[in-house]
Structures are given as C-alpha cells and as structure tokens.
C-alpha cells in the first residue's frame, strides 16, 4: 500500500475529497505533489461526485440597495445542512448594476450569466474563475431589411456524450411593424466548452420562447423554456444538449387555455419536472404543483398538491431538502415553506422585491475554460512524488479554520506547527 506521509494514499484522498474548494485551492500551494493531485481531472471528477451526493446548495441572486440608492447584484449560497448563508466574493463588475441579470443555468459548479443584450459570462463562484464567451457567429443584421434580431432565449447545460458544458442561444427576427406578436423566424447557435467556439445549427425552432418567472430549467440532459407554439398554445420548449435537437412538451391539459392572471414556474423536484401554477397578483396566493411522472408525456402530468392560501408570498424560488420550498415574500424577504408540516419560516435573507433568482448549485473545481490539464512528471520537471517544494510561505498556508486541512498539514509538515 502506497503511503503519503503517515497516511495510506486511499485515506489521504478520502480526506481531500471532503475538503471545500477554498481549502483545496490552498492545498494546491503546498507542494508539487498536492498541486498535481488536486489539478488532476480524475480528482476533480471524484470531488464533484462527492459534493453532488453530500453538499448540494441553492445559489441565490438578488439585488441590494447601496447607501446611494443604487441597485447592486449579489450572489449568495444557501446550504440546507444546518442552514448556512454565505455571500460569495465573485467579480460581477460586468453586471454588478445590471437590473436584468439572469442566471441561465448550472453545470458541474459553473454558472452562466447574461442580461440578454451584452456578453455571456461563465463563472465558477467557488474558484472565482470567470470567462466571457466570444462573439456570436450569427450576424447582427438580417438579410431581410425590415427584420430586427433579438436574443429570445439562452440556455446552459451538460452534454453527456462529450462530457462538456454547452450554451445554446436562440435569436429571433422580428418585423418592425407586425401585429402578430410572434417573430418572423429564428436561428440557433451553440457554444461548446470542448471546442471553445460557436456554431450555427440547421434546425427549426418549433415554438417561441416567452418570459415566465423562475421557469428556465436544466433537467434530463435538456434545457427547458416556457413557450408559445404556432397555435398559440402554452408549451414547454426543450433543447437536448447531446443530440442538439428541440422537443415540444405539452402542458397539463387543465392549462390548455392561457390565463395571463396566472404565472407558471418550472423546477426539478425529487428527480422529476414540477410545474407550479399561482396567481400573478393578490395578497393571498395558492400554489398548485403538477409533476410529470413520465418525461415528455402529457397524460403523465399529475396534480400533487395545493399550497395555501399564503399571505405576503410572491413566488416560488426553488425546491430544497426535498420537502421544502424557498419562496420570495412580498416585502423582499426569503421564506421557506415545509410541505409536510405546512409551516412558513422567515429566513434572514433580504433583497429588492422581485430581484431574486435561484439555481440548485454544487461547489466544484471544474474550470470554465473546459477542464484541467493532466499534470505528470514531465510537466513539473521532476516526479511529483519527490520531496516537496513550497510555492508560498508556510504561514500563508496554515491560516485556515479548516480542521481537515490543518490535520493534513500537521501530518506532512509537523515543523510548521512547532
């Protein structure tokens, strides 16, 4: 059995897998061996799998008011274990004061941000790594003179075939003076982290994406939007990241006629698509929850329960801990509703009303630039298991409250603690 310091290799790896990303970033500075191990794509994959099973959080975007009365976007993490709430130190300079900032999806610890007008940004909040995507491959003008292009939909998700994340963008072309309310036509492009470039798809978009609060959702290898088809029926439009094809998923038959006074939000709940229907306005609101038991089959929509009526609750934000829903209160306070006890609990999270957005989120070491390069002896100039070489001062490394990290350092470098 290979031994690292005083620890068997297997135990050493198990300890590292349980460390948060912030501690692992410090560990990379200890020595070449640790740097190579933590940068290894296999270790990154194992660490991600561990967090998927043990450390799922909710990423919350909200607006806060500065002392000058200006709005600023803030990203925070809400963890279900013991309820911990952490504001993230992420560089949002591009979108810090953007009132229409959207969270477009989450994939292996990477999130996608955009305001639908300017740049699209990929960000790993845990490693604080960001990347602005290159310019679109679609022209900013139409060959037909009276058509105006506009980004109507963006989505972000994981392609299981290539093992890379993708961004999909739908550009709709609108007539300047058209009373139809629907675009003339649409074009689609996809950005892949595997290639680092955009490509246009020769596909027809079978429905037109429309806005509905807290609806855009990645599930089952596909990204989902609220949409209206050519018959003006409400549908769910999905785009599969693997085969790069669209699919139209019908709404429950009880919702065949559009009612503007009601909102629709889409979530993932207990491994299935869940649709929440609730009034757009009102002091008291009831929330109907439908679940699609067989993906893509209209007849499998089943109404599970109705929540409420609840007072001073605006909209659902996310399912978490399986039996609770995070919701936005009418006064900008986040509340949690327990489906079993039917209790509503205020959480110490505030923001400008109607500025909240959420994603189910997992901390990871995955790079926004498409992965990590395998480091071996040739990369470091010597075998990574040779005696250690410190990259930073020891005092910088041991300034941490992480007990696991301190234990590792004590076992390997006891001289630091004498």
């Amino acid at each position: 059995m290979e031994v690292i310091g005083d620890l068997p290799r297997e135990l050493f790896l198990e300890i590292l897998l349980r460390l948060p990303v912030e501690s692992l970033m410090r560990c990379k500075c200890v020595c070449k061996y640790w740097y190579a191990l933590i940068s290894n794509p296999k270790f990154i994959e194992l660490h991600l799998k561990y967090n998927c099973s043990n450390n799922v959080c909710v990423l919350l975007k909200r607006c806060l008011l500065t002392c000058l009365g200006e709005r600023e976007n803030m990203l925070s993490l809400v963890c279900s274990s013991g309820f911990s709430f952490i504001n993230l130190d992420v560089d949002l300079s591009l979108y810090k004061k953007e009132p229409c900032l959207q969270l477009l999806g989450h994939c292996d610890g990477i999130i996608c941000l955009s305001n639908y007008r300017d740049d699209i940004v990929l960000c790993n909040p845990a490693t604080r790594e960001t990347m602005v995507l290159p310019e679109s491959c679609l022209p900013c003008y139409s060959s037909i003179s009276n058509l105006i292009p506009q980004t109507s939909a963006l989505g972000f998700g994981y392609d299981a075939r290539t093992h890379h994340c993708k961004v999909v963008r739908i550009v709709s072309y609108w007539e300047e003076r058209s009373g139809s309310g629907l675009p003339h036509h649409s074009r689609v492009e996809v950005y892949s982290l595997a290639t680092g470039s955009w490509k246009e798809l020769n596909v027809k978009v079978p429905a037109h994406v429309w806005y509905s609060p807290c609806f855009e959702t990645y599930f089952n290898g596909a990204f989902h939007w609220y949409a209206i088809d050519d018959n003006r029926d409400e549908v769910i439009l999905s785009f599969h990241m693997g085969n790069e094809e669209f699919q139209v998923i019908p709404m429950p038959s009880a919702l065949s006629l559009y009612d503007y006074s009601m909102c629709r939000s889409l979530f993932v709940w207990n491994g299935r698509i869940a649709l929440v229907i609730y009034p757009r306005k009102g002091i008291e609101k009831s929330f109907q929850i439908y679940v699609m038991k067989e993906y893509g089959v209209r007849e499998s929509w089943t109404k599970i329960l109705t929540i409420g009526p609840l007072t001073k609750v605006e909209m659902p934000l996310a399912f978490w801990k399986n039996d609770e829903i995070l919701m936005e209160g009418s006064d900008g306070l986040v509340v949690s509703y327990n489906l079993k006890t039917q209790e509503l609990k205020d959480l110490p999270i505030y923001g400008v009303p109607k500025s909240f957005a959420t994603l189910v989120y997992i901390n990871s070491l995955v790079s926004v630039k498409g992965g990590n390069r395998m480091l071996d002896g040739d990369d470091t100039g010597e075998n990574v298991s040779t005696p250690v070489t410190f990259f930073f001062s020891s005092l910088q490394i041991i300034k941490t409250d992480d007990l696991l990290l301190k234990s590792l350092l004590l076992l390997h470098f006891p001289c630091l603690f004498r």
Side-chain angles (χ1 to χ4, degrees), residues 234 394 399:
E234 296 178 89
S394 304
K399 286 182 180 179

Side-chain angles (χ1 to χ4, degrees), residues 182-229:
L182 297 177
H184 182 274
H185 69 279
S186 298
R187 298 169 70 174
V188 183
E189 63 178 349
V190 169
Y191 176 89
S192 172
L193 266 70
T195 62
S197 60
W198 291 95
K199 69 173 181 180
E200 184 174 2
L201 303 181
N202 185 23
V203 295
K204 182 181 185 303
V205 183
H208 310 286
V209 176
W210 232 247
Y211 172 76
S212 190
C214 290
F215 199 95
E216 299 174 350
T217 300
Y218 173 80
F219 172 72
N220 201 32
F223 199 85
H224 302 76
W225 301 272
Y226 175 77
I228 304 292
D229 65 12

Side-chain angles (χ1 to χ4, degrees), residues 62-66 70-74 95-97:
R62 58 196 169 121
C63 283
L64 300 177
L65 287 178
T66 68
E70 297 179 333
R71 295 188 179 192
E72 288 191 355
N73 289 301
M74 170 70 72
Y95 291 133
K96 191 172 185 179
K97 297 182 181 180

Side-chain angles (χ1 to χ4, degrees), residues 82-237:
F83 180 77
S84 60
F85 175 66
I86 307 168
N87 290 328
L88 299 176
D89 183 17
V90 179
D91 181 14
L92 290 178
S93 55
L94 188 63
Y95 291 133
K96 191 172 185 179
K97 297 182 181 180
E98 171 56 57
C100 300
L101 178 64
Q102 300 291 320
L103 295 179
L104 301 176
H106 164 264
C107 175
D108 292 348
I110 300 173
I111 62 173
C112 187
L113 303 165
S114 180
N115 61 1
Y116 276 71
R117 298 189 311 274
D118 305 313
D119 296 316
I120 302 171
V121 176
L122 298 184
C123 170
N124 183 326
T127 63
R128 302 176 188 175
E129 184 184 31
T130 61
M131 180 178 70
V132 178
L133 297 193
E135 291 186 8
S136 164
C137 71
L138 298 180
C140 58
Y141 57 88
S142 172
S143 56
I144 304 176
S145 59
N146 66 332
L147 295 183
I148 302 173
Q150 182 181 21
T151 298
S152 59
L154 288 165
F156 182 59
Y158 181 72
D159 180 358
R161 296 195 304 183
T162 64
H163 303 290
H164 282 87
C165 301
K166 290 180 178 179
V167 178
V168 58
R169 178 172 178 253
I170 302 176
V171 177
S172 298
Y173 294 83
W174 301 80
E175 294 184 21
E176 289 186 85
R177 297 178 180 84
S178 172
S180 68
L182 297 177
H184 182 274
H185 69 279
S186 298
R187 298 169 70 174
V188 183
E189 63 178 349
V190 169
Y191 176 89
S192 172
L193 266 70
T195 62
S197 60
W198 291 95
K199 69 173 181 180
E200 184 174 2
L201 303 181
N202 185 23
V203 295
K204 182 181 185 303
V205 183
H208 310 286
V209 176
W210 232 247
Y211 172 76
S212 190
C214 290
F215 199 95
E216 299 174 350
T217 300
Y218 173 80
F219 172 72
N220 201 32
F223 199 85
H224 302 76
W225 301 272
Y226 175 77
I228 304 292
D229 65 12
D230 290 336
N231 297 321
R232 304 206 175 246
D233 291 328
E234 296 178 89
V235 296
I236 299 172
L237 178 66

Side-chain angles (χ1 to χ4, degrees), residues 219-283:
F219 172 72
N220 201 32
F223 199 85
H224 302 76
W225 301 272
Y226 175 77
I228 304 292
D229 65 12
D230 290 336
N231 297 321
R232 304 206 175 246
D233 291 328
E234 296 178 89
V235 296
I236 299 172
L237 178 66
S238 72
F239 177 83
H240 196 277
M241 295 294 174
N243 59 29
E244 298 181 343
E245 293 179 353
F246 286 99
Q247 178 183 357
V248 173
I249 301 174
M251 292 281 195
S253 55
L255 307 177
S256 56
L257 295 177
Y258 179 68
D259 183 356
Y260 182 77
S261 67
M262 303 296 288
C263 289
R264 291 93 165 94
S265 295
L266 196 69
F267 303 97
V268 178
W269 182 34
N270 292 331
R272 288 173 174 165
I273 285 287
L275 183 67
V276 184
I277 313 296
Y278 54 98
R280 189 176 300 274
K281 298 180 179 180
I283 299 176

